[in-house]
């Protein structure tokens, strides 16, 4: 799981072009959107697309749980692990 | 100059200040040295957009960074209409998206949002706090003519209650596939002009748009470096540029009566 957390941090930095941000700067339990890392709605779409491409998981924008899945890197890692295990 | 008599003065305004960026040639001293033949363009360079927070800067292409770098010192925190004129705009982003479409790949939402012709002016208005109207203009064959005529009209109307506006031109090299149909700009180039209604101000340049000239201008599709003659005239402090369709721009540096530089 900790491997997946690190992998996701690198993915976030790469696909969202986070200049000046290193994986160590991202706290796995801090909010990704709004406060914390400060990502916006376009980032959410971009990240969703990247997860779809890399892990082959589909994300339902209408699903209320999606918000929870995207709340932090830890949540994302849990979501990816569960989706792949399923 | 006997033919000059048939030219009609249509509009007169002031260019208070200008900035231009190309790789390796980016400030007033550089452009003067370029004009003297002492400095050539570099292969590549990254326009300095460090005045923007990293989270805003990260989505900017080199082209939009160049546009932003020339606009920022002229706006200097002020709010005024912005008019951005480009023949090709963010052609590279659009081309990359089209390749994804052709390959049946899902499209990047960020690239999609930033590929439209008004993407740069939109980002500029958000990043630099412009609330006045911000317009993107397709340059067509004669981008200098399109931009200057539109700007002259906006100044004459006093859009947004101000007598100033920022006019920009910018281009970047095109993907190879397009080269069957047009000549690619050799490098990124962006020019920003701070315009003020009326002539006779202290400092800056008086710009006169005239119509009825027999001088022909080359299309931007065959001569994509259309900004360079304008920059050369600004460096020289005088010039007479054919803009296309019988229009010319006459530039003359105003006398600076010891006014402090802005």
């Amino acid at each position: 799981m900790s491997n997946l957390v690190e992998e996701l941090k690198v993915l976030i930095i790469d696909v969202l072009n986070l200049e000046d941000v290193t994986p160590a700067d991202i706290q796995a339990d801090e909010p990704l959107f709004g406060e914390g890392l400060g990502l916006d709605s376009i980032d959410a779409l971009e990240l969703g697309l990247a997860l779809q491409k890399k892990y082959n998981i589909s994300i339902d924008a209408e699903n209320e749980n999606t918000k929870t899945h995207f709340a932090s890197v830890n949540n994302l890692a849990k979501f990816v692990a569960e989706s792949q295990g399923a | 100059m006997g033919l000059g008599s048939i030219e009609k003065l249509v509009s007169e305004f002031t260019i208070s200040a200008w900035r231009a960026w190309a790789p390796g040639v980016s400030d007033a001293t550089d452009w003067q040295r370029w004009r003297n033949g002492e400095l050539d363009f570099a292969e590549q360079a990254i326009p300095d957009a460090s005045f923007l927070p990293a989270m805003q800067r990260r989505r900017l292409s080199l082209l939009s960074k160049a546009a932003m770098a020339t606009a920022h010192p002229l706006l200097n925190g002020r709010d005024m209409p912005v008019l951005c004129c480009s023949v090709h705009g963010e052609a590279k982003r659009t081309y990359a998206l089209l390749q994804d479409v052709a390959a049946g790949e899902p499209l990047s939402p960020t690239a999609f949002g930033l590929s439209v012709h008004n993407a740069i002016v939109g980002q500029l208005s958000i990043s630099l706090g412009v609330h006045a109207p911000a317009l993107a203009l397709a340059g067509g064959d004669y981008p200098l003519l399109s931009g200057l005529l539109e700007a002259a009209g906006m100044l004459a109307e006093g859009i947004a209650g101000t007598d100033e506006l920022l006019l920009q031109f910018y281009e970047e090299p095109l993907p190879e596939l397009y080269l069957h149909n047009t000549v690619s700009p050799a490098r990124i180039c962006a020019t920003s002009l701070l315009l003020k209604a009326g002539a006779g101000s202290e400092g800056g340049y008086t710009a006169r748009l005239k119509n009825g000239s027999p001088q022909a201008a080359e299309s931007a599709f065959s001569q994509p470096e259309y900004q360079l003659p304008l920059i050369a005239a600004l460096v020289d402090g005088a010039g007479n540029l054919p803009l296309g369709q019988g229009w010319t721009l006459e530039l003359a540096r105003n006398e600076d009566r010891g006014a402090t530089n802005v």
Side-chain angles (χ1 to χ4, degrees):
Chain A
M1 187 66 122
S2 73
N3 274 350
L4 188 53
V5 165
E6 287 314 304
E7 198 174 290
L8 284 169
K9 285 182 183 179
V10 173
L11 178 82
I12 288 169
I13 290 169
D14 281 356
V15 299
L16 304 183
N17 259 327
L18 302 182
E19 295 181 6
D20 315 332
V21 178
T22 65
D25 295 331
I26 304 177
Q27 304 300 318
D29 57 353
E30 77 175 350
L32 286 172
F33 297 89
E35 343 137 50
L37 198 54
L39 303 181
D40 61 24
S41 56
I42 301 175
D43 292 318
L45 291 169
E46 199 70 48
L47 196 51
L49 180 71
L51 293 174
Q52 211 172 307
K53 275 185 175 173
K54 180 153 186 174
Y55 301 106
N56 198 22
I57 47 177
S58 64
I59 292 150
D60 180 4
E62 303 298 321
N63 192 329
E64 260 306 298
N65 293 332
T66 301
K67 228 175 173 177
T68 318
H69 296 326
F70 277 70
S72 66
V73 175
N74 277 341
N75 286 17
L76 268 183
K78 223 160 80 188
F79 171 57
V80 171
E82 281 167 9
S83 307
Q84 289 193 311
Chain B
M1 287 307 285
L3 287 170
S5 57
I6 57 162
E7 285 189 53
K8 199 176 122 201
L9 177 64
V10 177
S11 177
E12 212 175 18
F13 50 88
T14 301
I15 300 176
S16 323
W18 64 278
R19 292 287 189 283
W21 191 96
V25 187
S26 58
D27 65 18
T29 319
D30 290 348
W31 283 110
Q32 181 67 61
R33 292 183 57 215
W34 165 78
R35 184 65 178 142
N36 297 347
E38 299 158 13
L39 182 66
D40 203 359
F41 299 111
E43 270 301 300
Q44 269 187 334
I46 297 173
D48 180 17
S50 58
F51 49 86
L52 294 175
M55 286 303 266
Q56 285 181 25
R57 209 166 52 218
R58 69 199 167 100
R59 284 184 187 143
L60 302 181
S61 62
L62 287 180
L63 180 66
S64 38
K65 278 182 182 160
M68 216 72 92
T70 59
H72 178 250
L74 297 185
L75 286 172
N76 199 14
R78 290 174 309 152
D79 194 4
M80 67 180 74
V82 177
L83 180 55
C84 294
C85 183
S86 179
V87 178
H88 302 289
E90 293 257 32
K92 277 185 179 161
R93 274 203 215 263
T94 314
Y95 179 69
L97 280 172
L98 290 174
Q99 280 183 311
D100 283 343
V101 172
E105 291 282 325
L107 300 184
S108 153
T110 313
F112 184 76
L114 296 179
S115 66
V116 293
H117 202 64
N118 61 353
I120 290 184
V121 68
Q123 290 172 93
L124 193 147
S125 73
I126 294 168
S127 306
L128 302 181
V130 172
H131 297 144
L135 253 75
L137 209 58
D141 281 291
Y142 305 113
L144 291 178
L145 176 63
S146 308
L148 288 163
L149 267 189
E150 185 73 19
M154 287 171 76
L155 287 174
E157 282 196 10
I159 299 276
T162 136
D163 62 352
E164 281 187 296
L165 73 81
L166 186 88
L167 171 62
Q168 287 199 303
F169 300 94
Y170 46 77
E171 305 296 340
E172 69 177 342
L174 296 171
E176 214 181 323
L177 187 77
Y178 298 148
L179 304 187
H180 304 284
N181 302 304
T182 181
V183 180
S184 169
R187 62 192 71 81
I188 291 180
C189 187
T191 309
S192 285
L193 308 174
L194 179 62
L195 305 184
K196 195 171 165 53
S201 315
E202 279 189 24
Y205 308 76
T206 296
R208 293 191 177 89
L209 281 179
K210 294 181 174 180
N211 186 241
S213 163
Q215 280 194 106
E218 240 186 301
S219 160
F221 293 94
S222 52
Q223 177 41 275
E225 317 292 344
Y226 63 87
Q227 295 169 68
L228 296 181
L230 172 65
I231 296 170
L234 289 163
V235 171
D236 294 348
N240 202 331
L241 303 177
L243 302 176
Q245 298 175 339
W247 290 84
T248 54
L249 170 71
E250 192 186 285
L251 266 186
R253 186 179 274 137
N254 294 327
E255 226 177 285
D256 196 343
R257 301 181 199 93
T260 46
N261 269 339
V262 267

